[in-house]
Amino acid sequence: MPEGLGGELRMNEPMSRHTSWRTGGAADYMYLPRSKEDIVHLLGSLPETMPVSWIGLGSNLLVRDGGIRGMVIQTSSGLKQISALGDGRIYAESGVSSANVAKAAASWRLAGVEFLASVPGSFGGALAMNAGAFGDEIWGHVESIECVDRTGQCEVQAKGAVPHGYRRVELPAGRWILSAVLALDETGAGYDGQQIIREQRARRNASQPVQTANAGSVFKNPDGDFAARLIERCGLKGYSIGDAVVSEVHANFIINRGRAATSMQIEALIDHIRNQVEEATGVRLIPEVRIIGDRP
């Protein structure tokens, strides 16, 4: 490790330990920082030729069985600061879980992001993909973000400077989100954010396979339709390749049955679903999950 760097550096770290699908080969190096400053220090010291990948809680991620070359930085190990700034604004680092952002905001009587309690994964992951639920999405509440580039240089960007849309945020390659400021609605004594969170979670638990190893919604919803409806229309609920299975509860989820599936099986099932839906409906589904790493 570079001199003066805190945190933990691991070699040949199995990514199956760090993804909600519980699959994936080993990363050459994985770094678990204690703080933003650790990340800045690390990035400034890495060889220019070393690839860098960035993960949070691994809930929207498929790592191929051949693993990941170079350095993987896991934000959820250390970037966990969250605070109220006043005037309805909160600051949160990218390693905080989305659920904890929702709970903290509700405890401060700030409304708008209760839906984040039903979004698995880290706040940084939610920001990077413009995650949403129950008709809302996170970038509707962003005021600014703080990014770091491949050399360790940091920059604060206003919301309007970052192109974004449905499940899409366009950051330049080699730039990652360290933190964000959200602008929320200040409420009065009649507001019960925790009750809203409980109700939304109950709806999620009733309609999604929450007790299984999965990565959330696999495909983006096409304009004017739902990916799950198209997949179910093709008779694919319960379809499997090895131990990768289309959920019987929600057709836009792939579960790792018995945690025995491989990433190759999951990716093959993703491709099969896309091909079947396109052949039957003419709609080409776009994956929402991020697929990284090498094939074996």
Side-chain angles (χ1 to χ4, degrees):
M1 291 177 64
E3 185 177 352
L5 184 67
E8 181 182 357
L9 180 65
R10 299 178 182 176
M11 298 178 62
N12 297 317
E13 179 69 7
M15 292 304 297
S16 58
R17 298 176 180 172
H18 304 280
T19 62
S20 59
W21 255 324
R22 304 303 181 211
T23 65
D28 290 344
Y29 301 95
M30 172 173 274
Y31 179 55
L32 289 70
R34 298 172 308 178
S35 65
K36 291 191 302 182
E37 291 72 24
D38 282 340
I39 291 177
V40 169
H41 187 178
L42 176 78
L43 290 172
S45 65
L46 291 179
E48 293 182 4
T49 56
M50 179 176 283
V52 176
S53 302
W54 197 274
I55 72 166
L57 290 169
S59 63
N60 192 53
L61 180 68
L62 180 65
V63 177
R64 292 186 172 114
D65 299 309
I68 305 175
R69 306 288 70 79
M71 179 69 67
V72 174
I73 298 173
Q74 185 181 52
T75 60
S76 58
S77 65
L79 275 66
K80 295 184 176 181
Q81 296 297 314
I82 183 169
S83 58
L85 303 177
D87 299 324
R89 297 156 63 245
I90 69 172
Y91 165 88
E93 293 182 342
S94 60
V96 180
S97 73
S98 295
N100 282 343
V101 173
K103 293 174 185 177
S107 73
W108 295 322
R109 296 192 177 279
L110 300 176
V113 291
E114 297 88 351
F115 71 91
L116 279 179
S118 298
V119 174
S122 67
F123 181 53
L127 290 167
M129 66 172 289
N130 195 13
F134 302 107
D136 206 346
E137 57 189 23
I138 188 57
W139 274 79
H141 307 278
V142 169
E143 179 179 281
S144 64
I145 60 172
E146 181 185 14
C147 296
V148 63
D149 68 17
R150 181 61 178 73
T151 68
Q153 297 297 309
C154 298
E155 179 184 10
V156 174
Q157 294 183 283
K159 172 182 179 177
V162 183
H164 60 275
Y166 171 68
R167 302 296 181 268
R168 172 181 61 85
V169 177
E170 297 179 15
L171 286 174
R175 180 168 292 189
W176 303 278
I177 299 173
L178 290 171
S179 65
V181 173
L182 302 179
L184 306 178
D185 297 323
E186 297 181 281
T187 67
Y191 167 75
D192 189 349
Q194 299 298 342
Q195 179 60 29
I196 296 172
I197 288 172
R198 286 192 292 271
E199 291 172 356
Q200 290 183 346
R201 279 187 159 174
R203 289 170 59 189
R204 179 199 66 176
N205 293 346
S207 63
Q208 298 178 6
V210 294
Q211 299 303 319
T212 65
N214 69 78
S217 295
V218 174
F219 298 101
K220 300 178 183 180
N221 287 324
D223 290 342
D225 210 335
F226 295 95
R229 189 193 74 82
L230 297 174
I231 297 167
E232 187 169 357
R233 173 183 164 183
C234 293
L236 291 171
K237 269 191 171 181
Y239 185 88
S240 65
I241 294 178
D243 286 297
V245 186
V246 179
S247 171
E248 295 276 10
V249 177
H250 193 302
N252 199 18
F253 282 63
I254 292 174
I255 65 174
N256 180 354
R257 180 172 51 199
R259 299 190 177 182
T262 64
S263 292
M264 182 180 293
Q265 291 171 344
I266 293 170
E267 189 169 5
L269 185 53
I270 290 171
D271 291 340
H272 179 77
I273 293 168
R274 295 182 78 187
N275 292 337
Q276 291 294 303
V277 169
E278 184 172 28
E279 182 178 331
T281 70
V283 176
R284 183 69 170 170
L285 294 177
I286 299 172
E288 184 172 307
V289 297
R290 187 164 61 109
I291 301 174
I292 63 173
D294 296 344
R295 291 185 171 90

